[in-house]
Amino acid sequence: MEHEATVEGVGVGVDDEGTGTPVVLLRARGEIVPIFVSSDQAQSMQLAIDGEPFERPLTHDLLVEMVAEFGGAIDRVRIDDLADGTFYAKIDAEQYTEDRRRDVVFDARPSDSIAVALRVDCPIVVSDEVVDQAGRSPEQFEPEDDDPGF
């Protein structure tokens, strides 16, 4: 089963080594799924969340423009697997040529998928298996009184 997710925020989390690493927080099925991302990906997501255009198109902006120019549309993104600490995702798209629709699925990194979804305002869904493995209680992400949070 899949659950629609919302992006709760992009910030800095602490990874297994104790260092600050960019993280995107997805809320699905009432739980928070943290996904560590690169700083470039985090910046791209935050710009999309804030609705701030960058001086020049970022890679995700370019991808969205190219898909549209070729008669396509992005329908949704799926965070559908987690193996050995690595998240996996798919981008579901469609293309119209000569009045015919063709469904297309692209394998993608979750960070790219989320950054694209934020630009086209399409659903982000997370599988039960991923939430079961990586989901955390929202209370774990609330800053303590003496903690500035992200």
Side-chain angles (χ1 to χ4, degrees), residues 13-78:
V14 179
D15 62 16
D16 293 336
E17 287 83 42
T19 58
T21 303
V23 64
V24 59
L25 302 176
L26 298 179
R27 182 182 295 269
R29 208 181 67 192
E31 296 186 54
I32 300 294
V33 177
I35 301 175
F36 289 101
V37 298
S38 72
S39 57
D40 289 343
Q41 300 287 355
Q43 179 188 27
S44 179
M45 287 181 219
Q46 192 62 55
L47 287 169
I49 290 168
D50 295 341
E52 293 181 23
F54 202 66
E55 286 179 31
R56 303 281 300 140
L58 296 174
T59 304
H60 302 112
D61 302 309
L62 176 62
L63 174 68
V64 167
E65 249 182 81
M66 290 176 69
V67 167
E69 188 64 30
F70 286 114
I74 296 168
D75 295 327
R76 71 178 185 161
V77 302
R78 296 180 278 143

